[in-house]
Amino acid sequence: MAKDEINAFLGAGTNYHGKLNFQGSVRIDGTFTGEVESDGTLVIGKDAVVEGTILVGQLVLSGRLTGEVEARQKVSLKKTADMKGDIRTPVLIMDEGAVLEGRLTMGSLDALPSSSES
């Protein structure tokens, strides 16, 4: 399996509420409310609406996300991204046009204060 291959896909028109755990990569193009936890990559498509707590290795955001994000490796906000909430990550890549409303904490996650200490 290729490193960047998508393992699961929640397509446009799908609605999911709950907790999502996965390995590898998952793409969401529908509506998701809940918690996501993985060491892998979460891709949120430009028409997706996600609300909840995200704890992943990498996040690639093109759609709307409301909630808290912790990414152990990096967060990439594409030009259509609309992020409302706090991000904790060592690396942020943000395209021109992306929107971030919230707090950003960067650096090694080991050195960052936890959310409960802020």
Side-chain angles (χ1 to χ4, degrees):
M1 181 181 321
K3 184 180 176 201
D4 59 353
E5 185 175 326
I6 300 291
N7 297 36
F9 180 73
L10 297 173
T14 60
N15 291 297
Y16 184 86
H17 298 269
K19 186 166 185 170
L20 176 63
N21 293 292
F22 64 90
Q23 293 181 342
S25 298
V26 166
R27 181 179 177 102
I28 298 174
D29 280 328
T31 301
F32 179 92
T33 304
E35 299 176 34
V36 178
E37 188 170 339
S38 175
D39 288 328
T41 300
L42 176 63
V43 178
I44 299 175
K46 71 179 184 71
D47 296 321
V49 177
V50 176
E51 185 173 336
T53 303
I54 311 295
L55 175 59
V56 292
Q58 295 184 57
L59 171 66
V60 179
L61 177 63
S62 297
R64 286 190 350 208
L65 172 58
T66 303
E68 306 296 315
V69 172
E70 183 173 313
R72 294 178 192 93
Q73 297 169 357
K74 72 178 174 180
V75 171
S76 180
L77 301 179
K78 300 301 184 184
K79 67 182 179 180
T80 56
D82 183 2
M83 170 71 198
K84 291 179 176 55
D86 298 340
I87 298 175
R88 290 171 33 99
T89 186
V91 176
L92 174 69
I93 300 167
M94 190 168 176
D95 291 352
E96 184 176 346
V99 174
L100 171 59
E101 294 180 29
R103 291 186 304 176
L104 172 64
T105 306
M106 293 178 64
S108 167
L109 288 185
D110 294 335
L112 295 176
S114 69
S115 313
S116 60
E117 294 175 20
S118 312

